[in-house]
Structures are given as structure tokens and as C-alpha cells.
Amino acid sequence: MGIVNVTPDSFSDGGLHLQPEAAAAAARRMIEEGAAIVDVGGESTRPGSEAVSLDEELRRVVPVLELLGGMPLSIDTAKAEVARRALELGAALVNDVTALRGDAELAGVVADTGAYLCLMHMQGEPRTMQREPRYDDVAGEVASFLEERLRFAVAVGVAEERICLDPGIGFGKTTEQNLELVRRLDVLVALGRPVLVGFSRKSSLARIVGEPGARTASASVGAAVAAWERGASIFRVHDVREHVDALAVAAAVSA
Ligand code: HH2
């Protein structure tokens, strides 16, 4: 899953894709490089970020989606109206970092349209989530949360076979907690749905390599391969070619 953030403030590609043509070109390039789907988002959820209005989010993403008709797209939103418009314009998947806890109407939109859905774990909310994340057993707690959200989604009419689960790397987690989630990914895989991992260019990687500000593709690839070995099957990434090549080699070794 390639990432195109149509935002001024995303942590890694903020401001790069503000022009619809630039965003669409980046998405097309990711598909050429081997992405199965491109996730388009109009609201940054990085630590400390503020929410954006519905009008502003629509203004950012709709022109990009219009340019990308026919391509496999995901919409990164917690807003029902943004999801509805994106699905009308051909998006196939709704990536909701609130796991259907934000906008009460979003579940109905996904259920009624038969869209795919990604449910992600987050402790707290983006503005404050990195202040003091706390868990007794991070893998167990994230798994219980995702299991409950999966049950909720199915109860409101989303087909279970259309749902994937995501531990939410960096969403209310320390570096050690992010690593523990990958280390114990089997606990999430055991829930029986595909697991998506989004470690790409996140700040924990810079902490691990000991270079503040470094968010290199190579560090991201290391995290993705480790997650793949533990059962993740969808990788939300900025550097598509590097991930596709690395995962192809890792898969060839274990074939
Ligand atoms: N991470 C980000 C945004 N959306 N969605 C899922 N399912 N999983 C993630 O790990 C995830 C996500 C944050 O990364 P990015 O989009 O690069 O930055 P920003 O939120 O600043 O736009």
C-alpha cells in the first residue's frame, strides 16, 4: 500500500503532493512500482496534529481521486462524508485510524457500499497520544481492542472477509512498544484477518538507528521484512519499489 498524503503537515511527505497533479503522479508511480493499492489521505494524524474540517479534507482529496479514476485506491479518513465521496469516485478501501470510533456514520457507509475496511489501534488521539503511552501488555491489549472493533464492524454489517487489522505503529506507543507489537505480531495474526503494518519512515526508526531526523527507506524496509516474517501481509509505505523488491526476496527465500 503506497502512501499519498495531500496535506501541508504530514510528517514525511507533507506539502509534497498539495497540487492534485503531483499527488496523482505520485500515486501512478507507486502502482507502476508494484503497489497493490494507494492510500490517499487529506488529514495528517502525526503526533501533535490538529484535525481538519470536512470541507478542507474534501478540497484536498477529491481532485486527486478524480484524476485517479480506475486505480486501486484507499481513502485514509475518519469522516463518513469523505469516505462516501471517495467510494463514489472509485476507492475500494476505507482506512480509518479511529477504527469506527470517530464518525458514527462511517460504519454504515462502509457496510452499505461493500467497501474494504482497515481497523487500526490508537491509544488516545493524535494531538496528545505520544505524551505518555501506557500498557500492561501492549500486544494483548491491542489484540483485544482490534478483536472488539472487528466484532463491532461485523455486527453493523461490514463483511468480515473485507476487514484488515492494524496495530497502529506510533499511535500512542513508545519505540519499545512498537517493536513489541511487531515481535508479537502472531497475537494479531491469530485474530484471523490480514494484518497491515505501517512502520514506514516513523520516528521510532530514527531512534533505533540513532540518527535523529533519519527516516530512511532502508530502516523502513527492515521493519517491513521483520513484520512480514511474523505474518503481516499489507505494508503501508512511502518507498514502494524498495519494499516490493525486499519483500519479493524475503518471500523467495521462504518459498
Ligand atoms: N499511519 C499514518 C497514517 N495513517 N493508517 C494505517 N492504517 N496505519 C498506519 O500506520 C498509519 C495510517 C501516519 O503516517 P503518514 O500518513 O505517513 O503521516 P501523517 O499522518 O502525518 O499524514
Side-chain angles (χ1 to χ4, degrees):
M1 173 186 278
I3 304 171
V4 171
N5 288 312
V6 195
T7 56
D9 57 344
S10 288
F11 70 78
S12 149
D13 60 352
L16 265 184
H17 305 129
L18 274 180
Q19 296 301 323
E21 256 311 336
R28 287 191 204 101
R29 192 176 59 246
M30 289 176 185
I31 296 289
E32 279 165 26
E33 290 178 352
I37 194 162
V38 174
D39 191 36
V40 177
E43 175 175 38
S44 175
T45 45
R46 74 175 202 292
S49 60
E50 298 284 344
V52 301
S53 70
L54 170 63
D55 283 351
E56 177 60 16
E57 199 175 326
L58 286 170
R59 196 187 64 74
R60 292 177 184 180
V61 299
V62 166
V64 179
L65 299 168
E66 283 173 346
L67 286 169
L68 291 173
M71 285 202 3
L73 296 177
S74 153
I75 180 74
D76 187 348
T77 191
K79 295 189 181 72
E81 187 55 28
V82 174
R84 187 179 291 122
R85 292 288 293 280
L87 295 167
E88 278 167 14
L89 289 166
L93 185 151
V94 175
N95 174 23
D96 175 18
V97 299
T98 74
L100 302 182
R101 294 174 300 157
D103 184 333
E105 287 178 25
L106 182 54
V109 171
V110 177
D112 293 348
T113 54
Y116 287 87
L117 173 66
C118 179
L119 296 171
M120 196 196 78
H121 175 271
M122 167 164 38
Q123 186 181 84
E125 53 168 288
R127 208 166 42 78
T128 53
M129 65 191 175
Q130 288 307 102
R131 276 190 198 154
E132 221 175 316
R134 265 175 212 269
Y135 303 85
D136 292 324
D137 163 16
V138 68
E141 286 169 49
V142 169
S144 303
F145 171 88
L146 290 175
E147 188 174 21
E148 188 273 319
R149 298 320 293 162
L150 175 62
R151 278 208 213 97
F152 172 83
V154 170
V156 297
V158 182
E160 182 163 351
E161 61 274 16
R162 300 214 155 215
I163 301 174
C164 69
L165 305 175
D166 180 346
I169 300 297
F171 285 84
K173 284 122 191 157
T174 63
T175 297
E176 182 43 46
Q177 288 159 354
N178 289 325
L179 293 176
E180 176 74 359
L181 282 165
V182 175
R183 200 176 290 131
R184 304 219 17 239
L185 209 66
D186 59 309
V187 180
L188 302 190
V189 173
L191 297 175
R193 300 305 314 142
V195 173
L196 184 156
V197 170
F199 225 130
S200 182
R201 298 193 192 170
K202 288 193 175 162
S203 60
S204 287
L205 298 171
R207 281 188 207 106
I208 295 162
V209 299
E211 241 182 281
R215 281 165 186 181
T216 63
S218 46
S220 306
V221 164
V225 171
W228 176 80
E229 286 175 337
R230 289 159 181 80
S233 52
I234 307 170
F235 306 88
R236 186 177 178 278
V237 306
H238 302 83
D239 306 285
V240 170
R241 186 182 299 275
E242 289 83 348
H243 282 81
V244 167
D245 289 354
L247 291 163
V249 173
V253 168
S254 66

